[in-house]
Structures are given as C-alpha cells and as structure tokens.
DNA sequence: TTGAAAGCGGTACCAA
DNA sequence: TTGGTACCGCTTTCAA
C-alpha cells in the first residue's frame, strides 16, 4: 500500500484504471463465486491495495439488502440495556450485519423519529429495546419489507415479532421466596416508567399474592434507577408498618433500596428485610449486595433475534404469532433468608 | 396512509408514478430549498404518505457524505464505556449523524476488521474508544477522506485527531489526597489491559511519588473489572505490610478492592484504608461505596468530538497537532480521610 | 474469462 | 417550475 491523500473514497473505477482492467473485473474480484482469472484477480487486488480500496457496501445495497440493523434504545447507561446492546451488536456482527444505535428518550415522538431513520437508512430490521413505536409506523416498516422485533414490550403490535421474558414466572417465584422466608409484610417496588414488562411483573406479583391470600402493598418509585429505589426505601421505613419483604421490579431499584435500608436505617439483610430483584445485572453480584434475583437470559434472547433475522424466508408481511418467551433463571444469593425464622 | 404489503422499499419512482409527476419533482419535494409548486408538492407528499415512502439516504450518499459515524469500542457493558456511547450517540444524532457501533475485542485483529467495516460503509468518521488501530489502517482511512478520532488513547497516530483526559493531573492529585490523609504505604492498582491511558495514569502516579520521595508499590490486577479489584485486595491484605492508601486506575477496580477490604478483612474505609478511583462511574456514588474519584468530563469530550466532525472545513489529510485534553474533575466523597490522623 | 451496458435510488444540471 | 438526462459506485446480464 503506498499512495495516500485523496480526501475522498476510492472507487472501483479508479482501481480498474490502475489495474488496466474493466470495472466489471474489479467487481467480480470482490464478489465470491464470480469467475475471474488468477491473473486479473492479482492485478486487481494489487491495485486495490495500493489505492486502499474498499467495496462500497452502501452502493451495493441498491440492489440487495443493506445488512443494517437499527437498535432503538433508551437509557443506554443502564447495565441491563448496555448488556443487551453488547450481546446484540456482537451477535449481529458475527452474521455480517452492522448495528446502528438509535438513542431515544423512550417517548413516542422520539421513538417515531428513530423509526423514520431506520427507514431512511434502509435497515433490514428494526429491533426495539425500549419505548413503543406507534402501530402505524410499524405498519409502514413492515410494508417496506423491514422486520420489526420488539424486545420485552409485551404489547403485541400486529406484524411485529416479539421476544420477551416470562414475567409471570419470576413474579410467582419471587413471592414464593419471600413467603418461604417468613416475610409477613410484603411490598412491591415498581418504577414510574410504566413499560409493559414492568407492569406485567407488578401485576403478576400482586395477583400471585391475591391467590395466596397475602396483601401486597404496591409502591411506586421514580424512574428505573438506583436513586429511586433509595428514595422509596427512605420513605417506607420512615413510616409505621414498613415491609419486611420486598420485590423490586428491577435490580437497580433493589440495590438502591438495600443501601437506604442498611445505611439509613441500620436494617440487616436478610435478617430484618428480604429483597428480591430482577435482571441480574453485574452489580447484583457485588459483595456489598449479593442480591437474590432473576436473570434475563440475554444471550439466548439475542440469539433468537439473530435467528429471526437470518432465517432464509422472512414471514411475508410480518408475524402475528406469539412472542418467543424465555424463562428468567433464578439467581440465589444472600438477600433472602433461606428458611423461615432464621 | 393506506396500502401495505410491498415487502420491499418504496422508491421515488413509485411515488412519482402515483403522483403523476416526474422523479425529479419527487426529489425536489424532499430537498429543502428546491423549487416546487405548492400543487406538485402536495401531490407528491400525498402519494409518498400513501405509499409509506422515505428517502433512501444510502443512495443519497453516492453523491454526498453518508452521515454515518462508526464507533469502535470494546467492553460496552462497562459503565464508563456505556456512558461514552450514550452521550456520543445522542450528540451525533442531534447533528443529523447516525452511529454504527462496532463491538470489538480490543485486540489488533478485531479492531482492524472494524476499521475495514467503517470503510466499507463509507463512514464520514471513525471514533475509536478502545483498542488501537494499526497505523496503516488509519492512513488508509484518512486517505479515503475519513476522519479518525481517538479517545483516550495517548499514542499519537499521525493524522488522527485525539481527545483525552489529563491523566497526569489526576495522578498527581490522587497522590496528594492520599498523602494528606496520612497514608504511609501507598499502592497503585492497575489493570492487565495496558491501554495507553491506564499506563499513563500508572506512570504519572509513580513519578509523582518519586518526586515526593514516597515509594509506590505497583500491583497489577487482572482485566479492568470489579472482580480484578476484589481479587487483588484479597492478595494484598493476606500479606504482611499491606497498603493503607490505594489509587486504582479505574473505579471498577476500586469498587472491587473496597468490597474485599471491607467484607473479607473487616477494614474500615477511610479509617483503616483510603481509596481513590478514576472515572466517576455511577456506582462510585452509591451509598455502599462513596468513592472519592476523578470524573471524566464525558459531556465535554463528546461535545468536542462533534465539533471536530461538524466544522465546515476538515483539515486536509488529517490532523497532526496536539490532542485536545480535558481536565478530570475531582469528586470528593468518603473513601479518603479529609485530614491526617482522623 | 472478459468488457460493454443497463439498472439500482437518488440529485443536479439543463433546456423548455 | 418542470421533465429529461447524466452520473454517483456497484452488480449483473449479455455477447463476444
């Protein structure tokens, strides 16, 4: 490789000229399974290397798919989101797709803008991690031959594919753990972000309580964040009749809750208070927390997304079947008493 | 909007046909400052809406820039990286650019593959958050008219632009804090990932010690992670003559270190042990840690990146000037004794 | 195996 | 203001 200083991308034409062959020859050299003689191929590769040529995949897509996947997401700094993003980008890259991250505020308008961008950039697929796109935009996307995959948004939008985690199962199990530990005043801490999957966790937990004949008090924190969990615990334990067993719909809330309980009120966990979370973010395993929680099987969920995007024959006009739902796996640590009365 | 079911993107031609105008008219309708009559514009917009048309920005790039920026990054789940990614995607979107996230392992080969992708996808710019691209690839990128921005990689690659944080300043200040607190056995905990900026922090801290006449013992943990900090503390405090003041080159290391010191050895922080971190990730402010640290001014750094990418006249053939360096801001919390002997 | 030509979805220029 | 035309970089078909 020698020359530099062009200030603009080198094209196949330039390579062709330098190699003394036709543009077609250059193209063929870079498409597998095309017929080029060893001789031409060598000349082309040499010229390409000298010029620093790379095939323009965007021009290529004028005929085929773009291999672009858009990820619509908010709260990227949140460990669970960052985790999902990490795994998805990896797996997508592994199958030759590139990921455009569209960072939104999660509100309808912002998500709408993002959806339009996915259309502008001819993404093969849109994967929605947060927020809910309007159904008309989903329809447009599908009509344009784009796949739409919704993750952990339990609202079924016609035509989209859905992958989700089994909230009901986690909620039931969480209640079980708390009751087995002998907790008598059980509370559910939820967030002000009423996303479908948070709401599902909440409702299922309360319902499970109803079935068991235990009253669950529901308390709404602020946004899904450490600070919200912290603040809500300060409120709760400053009042009479505070809970002795809590299910937080998110690890982040749980971690904040634990910190306030311990450092502001001197509560011991799990002796005085049992806490269960959800997500199994890395911090839940840190020595200061050792939170018992439920892990979202991100790896498998992302794998499923990739499967959907790579199966040979995408379902015409989208999917109307059920969501693929994955079982969260319980992660037993130390924030819940193992046996009653201990 | 009515019809659906096309399974492939709608083009300007289709809109033109439906609206009964020429392709040019459609194009003009969607480029600002073009001259179209109200009447045609209306017809076009109507047809476009009915068909669900969106301009193909990828085709547009055949003539102009792509407005794609590639972010090369590893360890996305790490709070500091997630934070950078969050801010950058936001700010880039705000100026009409979209972000392709290229998730790498940080090693040369993986970064090299990513660099090639940025060329394939005709990115206007490549921003490297982790790993170091080979200088020949950087040269190729620049030769193709792409801007290359390196963040926190102190190795100067000719032609690239650099933005970094002032490691020397933080290292000096960290030592000052520890010494003022009366620490006598000072250690530096670094990671096995010998990235330029980690190495700089380490070297500068040791040098500052030398100047002050205090010996600093350097201990290398595993990769930059909580667990590494934890393990290294277990090793250190199981031996004679353990440190009483530690600068960890990363908050994540510091947090793990604190947890092991407290929970495995019963050490009190800051009474028995002072700890200083770097990054100011969210978790550093959590009640269980209250880590004194240095904040990377991500907001300003990202702002600078965007400035570089949006200035009207990019420097021909790249930049060879100095890096833009930003001062980390000290965040005083509770992991260091405020005054000697307390 | 090769080169010429057409077409992918746009934009820009030109003459009407 | 409008439509026709050329061209952006690439792949594919077609004839040689």
């Amino acid at each position: 490789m020698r020359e530099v200083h062009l200030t603009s991308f080198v094209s196949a034409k330039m390579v062709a000229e330098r190699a003394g062959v036709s543009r077609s020859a250059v193209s063929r050299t870079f498409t597998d399974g095309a017929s080029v003689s060893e001789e031409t191929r060598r000349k082309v590769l040499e010229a390409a290397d000298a010029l620093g040529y790379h095939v323009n995949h965007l021009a290529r897509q004028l005929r085929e798919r773009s291999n672009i996947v858009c990820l619509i997401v908010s709260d990227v700094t949140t460990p669970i989101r960052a985790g999902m993003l990490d795994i998805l980008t990896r797996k997508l890259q592994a199958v030759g797709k590139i990921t455009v991250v569209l960072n939104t505020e999660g509100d309808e308008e912002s998500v709408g803008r993002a959806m339009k961008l996915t259309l502008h950039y001819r993404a093969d697929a849109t994967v929605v991690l947060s927020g809910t796109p309007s159904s008309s935009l989903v329809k447009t996307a599908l009509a344009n031959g784009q796949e739409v995959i919704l993750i952990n948004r339990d609202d079924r939008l016609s035509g989209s594919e859905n992958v989700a985690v089994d909230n009901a199962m986690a909620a039931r199990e969480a209640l079980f753990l708390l009751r087995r530990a002998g907790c008598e005043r059980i509370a559910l801490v939820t967030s002000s972000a009423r996303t479908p999957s948070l709401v599902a966790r909440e409702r299922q937990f309360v319902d499970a309580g109803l079935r068991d004949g235990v009253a669950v008090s529901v308390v709404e924190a602020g946004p899904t964040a450490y600070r919200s969990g912290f603040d809500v615990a300060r409120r709760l334990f400053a009042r009479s009749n505070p809970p002795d067993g809590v299910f937080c719909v998110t690890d982040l809330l749980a971690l904040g809750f634990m910190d306030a309980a311990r450092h502001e009120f001197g509560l011991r966990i799990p002796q005085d208070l049992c806490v269960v979370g959800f997500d199994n973010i890395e911090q839940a395993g840190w020595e200061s927390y050792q939170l018992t929680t439920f892990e979202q099987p991100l790896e498998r969920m992302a794998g499923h997304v990739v499967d959907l995007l790579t199966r040979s024959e995408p379902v015409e006009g989208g999917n109307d079947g059920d969501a693929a739902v994955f079982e969260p796996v319980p992660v037993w640590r130390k924030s819940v008493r193992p046996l009653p009365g201990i």
Side-chain angles (χ1 to χ4, degrees), chain A:
Chain A
M1 202 179 309
R2 268 142 285 147
E3 18 260 75
V4 269
H5 275 310
L6 338 180
T7 22
S8 113
F9 282 97
V10 0
S11 67
K13 189 176 161 205
M14 298 163 71
V15 177
E17 274 161 15
R18 179 177 182 114
V21 299
S22 71
R23 272 165 44 117
S24 325
V26 177
S27 178
R28 281 195 280 263
T29 306
F30 291 103
T31 48
D32 351 277
S35 75
V36 215
S37 69
E38 252 333 296
E39 170 63 1
T40 349
R41 159 178 237 88
R42 198 191 46 69
K43 282 193 291 186
V44 169
L45 287 178
E46 199 176 290
D49 188 48
L51 260 27
Y53 170 72
H54 292 77
V55 177
N56 184 339
H57 283 201
L58 299 184
R60 186 179 263 176
Q61 69 77 48
L62 288 187
R63 323 183 116 279
E64 355 171 7
R65 347 186 51 203
S66 66
N67 282 328
I68 293 176
V69 173
C70 285
L71 241 55
I72 299 186
V73 63
S74 68
D75 302 299
V76 173
T77 52
T78 264
I80 187 74
R81 289 279 160 71
M84 199 35 146
L85 210 138
D86 181 44
I87 297 190
L88 271 174
T89 49
R90 286 190 134 64
K91 287 199 185 286
L92 287 171
Q93 262 169 251
V95 297
K97 305 204 173 281
I98 63 165
T99 312
V100 169
V101 172
L102 267 16
N103 199 342
T104 73
E105 307 303 324
D107 61 302
E108 169 124 17
E109 194 216 327
S110 166
V111 171
R113 271 199 308 272
M115 284 290 293
K116 293 214 177 100
L117 276 179
T118 77
L119 263 9
H120 284 304
Y121 281 92
R122 294 302 189 254
D124 294 345
T126 296
V127 178
V128 182
L129 294 186
S130 12
T132 300
S134 75
S135 73
S136 81
L137 275 170
V138 170
K139 228 179 293 175
T140 309
L142 294 169
N144 277 281
Q146 198 177 71
E147 293 194 69
V148 178
I149 300 181
L150 269 32
I151 299 191
N152 276 345
R153 349 243 74 244
D154 291 353
D155 36 18
R156 195 93 346 119
L157 249 40
S158 106
S160 66
E161 331 243 13
N162 288 66
V163 358
V165 87
D166 187 347
N167 291 303
M169 179 272 210
R172 273 196 312 268
E173 291 296 307
L175 185 70
F176 167 77
L177 292 179
L178 259 16
R179 296 208 64 205
R180 187 182 67 175
C183 298
E184 291 175 342
R185 298 176 309 283
I186 292 180
L188 171 104
V189 173
T190 186
S191 128
S192 60
R194 327 254 345 119
T195 77
S197 87
L198 261 30
V199 170
R201 240 113 83 192
E202 170 187 333
R203 219 199 35 225
Q204 300 280 359
F205 187 76
V206 172
D207 286 358
L210 247 39
R211 277 197 302 276
D212 272 21
V214 339
V216 169
S217 60
V218 174
V219 357
E220 184 178 313
T224 317
Y226 171 91
R227 187 46 52 185
S228 305
F230 193 89
D231 290 344
V232 100
R234 284 177 87 177
R235 250 164 47 213
L236 279 183
F237 293 111
R239 292 207 306 237
S240 62
N241 203 36
D244 62 351
V246 175
F247 176 41
C248 297
V249 293
T250 262
D251 281 357
L252 235 28
L253 290 172
L255 268 19
F257 196 93
M258 289 172 81
D259 269 349
R262 286 210 267 233
H263 299 118
E264 304 267 307
F265 297 92
L267 261 23
R268 295 164 309 158
I269 296 171
Q271 295 89 337
D272 308 322
L273 170 70
C274 295
V275 180
V276 177
F278 189 95
D279 278 346
N280 194 32
I281 60 178
E282 192 202 320
Q283 290 75 11
W286 286 4
E287 204 62 23
S288 286
Y289 300 103
Q290 290 290 340
L291 175 65
T292 292
T293 186
F294 294 87
E295 175 172 335
Q296 292 209 45
L298 296 188
E299 196 59 63
R300 281 186 291 140
M301 292 166 77
H304 184 70
V305 169
V306 172
D307 287 346
L308 289 176
L309 297 185
T310 49
R311 77 197 146 187
S312 43
E313 194 60 44
V315 180
E316 183 75 13
N319 164 64
D320 268 310
D322 288 329
V325 355
F326 291 83
E327 291 225 329
V329 347
V331 179
W332 178 260
R333 281 195 278 248
K334 300 194 171 125
S335 63
V336 175
R337 286 185 298 271
L339 290 174
I342 292 185

